[in-house]
Amino acid sequence: MNLSRRRLLGAAAAVPLLGAIPATAAPRKPDLVYIGTWGREELYGARFDPGTGALTSGGVVADVSSSWAVRHPALPVLYVGSGEGAGVVSSYRIDRTGLTRTSEVSTGGSGTAGVISHLAVHQNTVLVANFAAGLVATVPLGRDGTLGSPTSVVRDTGSGPNPRQAGPHPHHVTVDPSGRWALVADFGADRVFSYRFDGTLSGSPEAYATPPGSGPRRLVFHGRTAYLLNELTADLHILAWNARSGELTLREILPTDTPTFTGTKSAAEMVLSPDARFLYVSNRGENALVVYAVHPSTAGLTEIQRIPCGGVVPWSFSIHPGGRWLLVANQTSGTVDVFALDPRSGLLTATGNALAVPVPDGITF
């Protein structure tokens, strides 16, 4: 892919961000952060100081539409999903000079529009949720982290009553703790599908059905419990997980809205803390972050905090690997806002640190 002169200059300007730390820098090395932008062919870079919470921009680091990005767990490789063509996934090598594209693969089939809503890396496979094409694909990885051709593609079925649910739209894909199932939260079908997984997807999927019009968006496992976040109803389903049968059973439903909220419901992101003691959710309808304490024996949830997100429309957020910071991509206000996270209490505190980024939609450390 040839870069335009404007984007080439933007990427070149960002190289110092990803270069070596000067000898005069503080002893604690800042972390690299990659920020996707919705509907723009720009991936931004930044440096985050885990000692102070300072976030410093480095501009555009890759000329690519980025609707989701994830790093390889062991290699210096970044995977970026986009809405280009039929839903393209690209791999980038992270080095001292920036990002270098090393491979790319289409997941949607010839002539099919695609938007990648989620990527997950499990061992030597990338699992791809292609929202617009209504499919989930498995892509094998080479020893250097480059992408091969898809080894399996499955298409969900179903629809819902909302105009945005005319057909299946996989929004999230994740592998269960046993490593034998891949579960797909399908926004359009009002279902969570359970596919058998051995590096490829197979079988007639077991399905958990949400109430019509829920719009499943995110699924997170905690042992034999799964938490499902629904976008359109902005509620949380606490589910019991059976790894032998691949079945989910409802235990409890919790609203993420306040009782007096009368606007359009919309929940977006959900992340479990590194120690699994707290669950964090973003509520776009109320521009809020909601914090839940996880019961140590039952995995039940208790709301302990509700705090403004620092901007407008908290599309996504990420917790720093050290567990002391949370960064929020506030899409409509065009900011990435930094919150301090107390690992003992789980509570968030706004720092006032914010970085201007056009329509941010995802944050990857």
Side-chain angles (χ1 to χ4, degrees):
M1 179 182 294
N2 293 324
L3 297 179
S4 67
R5 176 177 174 82
R6 179 183 68 82
R7 300 197 189 284
L8 186 60
L9 290 174
V15 167
L17 164 73
L18 302 172
I21 303 295
T24 56
R28 189 162 187 171
K29 182 185 292 186
D31 295 319
L32 301 181
V33 182
Y34 298 101
I35 304 164
T37 56
W38 184 253
R40 299 169 65 100
E41 294 185 2
E42 297 173 332
L43 179 70
Y44 280 73
R47 281 193 184 276
F48 179 71
D49 187 331
T52 65
L55 187 62
T56 306
S57 176
V60 177
V61 294
D63 179 52
V64 60
S65 168
S66 174
S67 50
W68 193 264
V70 63
R71 183 180 170 173
H72 191 286
L75 300 173
V77 177
L78 184 73
Y79 301 101
V80 179
S82 76
E84 297 174 353
V88 173
V89 181
S90 303
S91 65
Y92 289 84
R93 185 179 68 250
I94 305 168
D95 55 35
R96 295 170 66 86
T97 61
L99 294 177
T100 303
R101 188 180 301 208
T102 55
S103 64
E104 67 178 37
V105 62
S106 175
T107 62
S110 177
T112 303
V115 173
I116 305 302
S117 54
H118 190 255
L119 301 172
V121 182
H122 182 80
Q123 298 179 350
N124 61 350
T125 303
V126 175
L127 294 94
V128 184
N130 190 325
F131 183 92
L135 60 84
V136 180
T138 55
V139 178
L141 298 177
R143 295 183 63 182
D144 59 354
T146 53
L147 299 158
S149 298
T151 52
S152 65
V153 175
V154 295
R155 296 181 183 273
D156 294 342
T157 58
S159 60
N162 189 285
R164 297 172 57 199
Q165 295 179 301
H169 292 304
H171 212 306
H172 188 98
V173 58
T174 188
V175 177
D176 86 309
S178 76
R180 295 186 289 112
W181 300 89
L183 282 83
V184 180
D186 195 300
F187 173 92
D190 280 331
R191 296 288 190 278
V192 177
F193 296 99
S194 304
Y195 292 95
R196 293 194 177 275
F197 176 71
D198 61 0
T200 62
L201 302 171
S202 63
S204 300
E206 297 288 342
Y208 168 73
T210 62
S214 295
R217 183 179 175 95
R218 290 283 184 261
L219 184 74
V220 172
F221 278 101
H222 178 38
R224 289 181 291 180
T225 298
Y227 304 114
L228 175 66
L229 182 66
N230 295 305
E231 177 179 334
L232 298 176
T233 50
D235 56 19
L236 266 169
H237 288 202
I238 304 177
L239 307 165
W241 167 241
N242 186 326
R244 288 183 294 179
S245 64
E247 294 177 307
L248 292 164
T249 305
L250 179 64
R251 286 171 42 191
E252 187 178 5
I253 297 178
L254 298 175
T256 69
D257 291 320
T258 56
T260 57
F261 179 67
T262 59
T264 301
K265 296 176 179 292
S266 181
E269 190 59 274
M270 176 172 59
V271 175
L272 197 63
S273 65
D275 60 7
R277 294 174 57 230
F278 304 99
L279 186 73
Y280 297 83
V281 170
S282 68
N283 184 306
R284 294 188 295 197
E286 297 192 89
N287 293 313
L289 302 174
V290 189
V291 185
Y292 298 88
V294 179
H295 193 281
S297 58
T298 67
L301 301 176
T302 301
E303 182 180 325
I304 59 173
Q305 186 184 29
R306 181 177 296 267
I307 184 173
C309 66
V312 181
V313 183
W315 196 268
S316 183
F317 62 82
S318 292
I319 296 176
H320 182 266
R324 295 181 55 242
W325 305 96
L326 184 148
L327 274 61
V328 184
N330 284 310
Q331 190 188 59
T332 300
S333 55
T335 57
V336 174
D337 293 78
V338 179
F339 288 77
L341 189 160
D342 184 337
R344 293 171 299 178
S345 68
L347 300 180
L348 300 172
T349 302
T351 66
N353 295 342
L355 180 66
V357 177
V359 286
D361 64 6
I363 299 165
T364 306
F365 286 99

